[in-house]
Amino acid sequence: MTATKIDGVAIAKKIREELKTQIEKQQETSPEFKPSLTIVQVGDRLDSSTYVRMKLKAAQEVNIICSIDRYPNSITETELLGHIAKLNNEPSIHGVLVQLPMPSHISEYAITSAVTDEKDVDGFGVANIGELAKRRGRPRFVPCTPKGVMVLLRESGVELSGKNAVVVGRSDTVGSPISYLLRNADATVTVCHRGTVGLEGFLKRADIIVVAIGQPNFIKGEWLSPGAVVIDVGTNYIPDNSKKSGQRLVGDVDFDSAVGVVSKITPVPGGVGPMTVAMLLQNVVDAATGYFEREKARNAG
């Protein structure tokens, strides 16, 4: 058996096209409908700059106004909080995304929590994460990567209710939110990590496996149950002299050994990554829609 590759590139492209059409249709009757995103970047980390450029390009392609507020590493937490407050109070901006990681002297929790709920398109604020963690909670926005994982599963026809799902990784940005979403979809969820004793045993019993631990090729095919569905969130660079750059991108799952065991699997690259950006754009459009609906209701009252 050879697994079917879950094509995140194609699914994300379809979502972006639908968003562009939605914006154009809305603007036919409401020309003032102009979804807008501001990305806050501190420092000049190469990986962060690459991700920011990808988001900027994708936003522009669907007619979302996108700007980047760049600040030096020397900015203080107090100063950055002041800039976030200004963005919160600017009505023409519908979404604010703080590009992580932050320098060590700035609290990521404090900065992401400072973004107002209505503009928290990354879904990392206290209210959104809290609502997501509640059973039947109602977050305004779901974090982009976990949301993308769920869309990949849905678009691939994967039934979740009653299935055993194992999430390997427990980060606040990926592992934990994914576990909440799977639980809310009525899967039976187990959260593991690199230090879990008997990890292979948990994986062998799993119907659905989501891996997000940041360790290249960590999960081996022989650890997996035949016919399982694997979502690999990992993005790791390893040396490869055959590449011009001298390195190549791999996931947390050893794809070559897993592809002959499982039924469906996301490749890296081309799986979860494109979905993360597509879900960000979806959240921005939803934020703009919510803003215009609130304004309409206010004016009507």
Side-chain angles (χ1 to χ4, degrees):
M1 176 177 68
T2 301
T4 300
K5 291 183 183 179
I6 299 175
D7 191 347
V9 173
I11 296 172
K13 182 174 183 288
K14 174 187 168 190
I15 291 168
R16 292 197 308 272
E17 289 172 348
E18 290 172 349
L19 288 172
K20 184 176 182 180
T21 300
Q22 179 183 342
I23 292 170
E24 290 172 347
K25 186 175 181 181
Q26 180 77 11
Q27 288 176 339
E28 289 176 4
T29 55
S30 304
E32 70 278 11
F33 182 77
K34 297 177 181 179
S36 171
L37 168 68
T38 295
I39 301 172
V40 176
Q41 181 182 2
V42 177
D44 56 359
R45 281 178 55 123
L46 182 59
D47 55 349
S48 291
S49 296
T50 299
Y51 295 142
V52 166
R53 283 196 302 271
M54 288 170 51
K55 293 166 184 174
L56 175 64
K57 182 174 182 290
Q60 292 172 338
E61 286 176 352
V62 301
N63 293 330
I64 289 175
I65 299 168
C66 185
S67 61
I68 304 169
D69 286 2
R70 291 188 173 93
Y71 302 102
N73 269 318
S74 58
I75 192 171
T76 68
E77 183 175 307
T78 301
E79 289 171 335
L80 187 57
L81 287 170
H83 289 297
I84 297 291
K86 291 178 182 177
L87 296 175
N88 285 340
N89 293 322
E90 174 50 61
S92 66
I93 296 172
H94 306 114
V96 176
L97 180 147
V98 178
Q99 182 64 44
L100 302 178
M102 288 278 109
S104 59
H105 67 281
I106 294 177
S107 165
E108 291 183 355
Y109 173 82
I111 299 302
T112 56
S113 298
V115 178
T116 189
D117 298 341
E118 292 84 359
K119 300 186 181 187
D120 178 28
V121 291
D122 232 1
F124 292 154
V126 173
N128 281 315
I129 287 293
E131 284 295 318
L132 183 62
K134 286 164 56 177
R135 190 180 178 196
R136 298 189 181 89
R138 294 192 218 174
R140 285 180 184 269
F141 304 106
V142 172
C144 303
T145 297
K147 185 175 182 178
V149 168
M150 299 302 287
V151 173
L152 286 174
L153 290 169
R154 184 188 70 213
E155 291 292 317
S156 302
V158 177
E159 177 61 44
L160 298 175
S161 181
K163 298 299 179 68
N164 289 321
V166 169
V167 178
V168 186
R170 52 186 172 176
S171 71
D172 291 336
T173 56
V174 181
S176 294
I178 287 175
S179 71
Y180 305 147
L181 290 167
L182 289 168
R183 180 202 63 191
N184 292 341
D186 292 328
T188 300
V189 184
T190 303
V191 178
C192 300
H193 50 85
R194 281 172 290 178
T196 297
V197 176
L199 176 60
E200 295 176 39
F202 288 106
L203 295 173
K204 276 290 186 184
R205 296 190 293 272
D207 304 302
I208 298 145
I209 300 161
V210 182
V211 187
I213 52 172
Q215 290 290 307
N217 299 323
F218 182 80
I219 305 294
K220 310 303 180 187
E222 57 265 29
W223 300 359
L224 307 174
S225 172
V229 175
V230 175
I231 305 293
D232 189 351
V233 185
T235 53
N236 313 283
Y237 284 96
I238 62 172
D240 187 340
N241 292 329
S242 69
K243 301 292 184 181
K244 186 177 179 180
S245 65
Q247 58 185 5
R248 64 187 170 94
L249 185 62
V250 299
D252 293 342
V253 178
D254 181 12
F255 185 88
D256 291 340
S257 65
V259 74
V261 178
V262 302
S263 63
K264 300 176 191 286
I265 186 170
T266 55
V268 178
V272 175
M275 294 299 296
T276 297
V277 177
M279 294 300 99
L280 170 62
L281 303 181
Q282 177 72 71
N283 282 352
V284 173
V285 173
D286 290 346
T289 301
Y291 170 78
F292 279 96
E293 287 177 350
R294 290 191 298 274
E295 285 298 296
K296 185 178 179 180
R298 186 179 297 118
N299 293 334

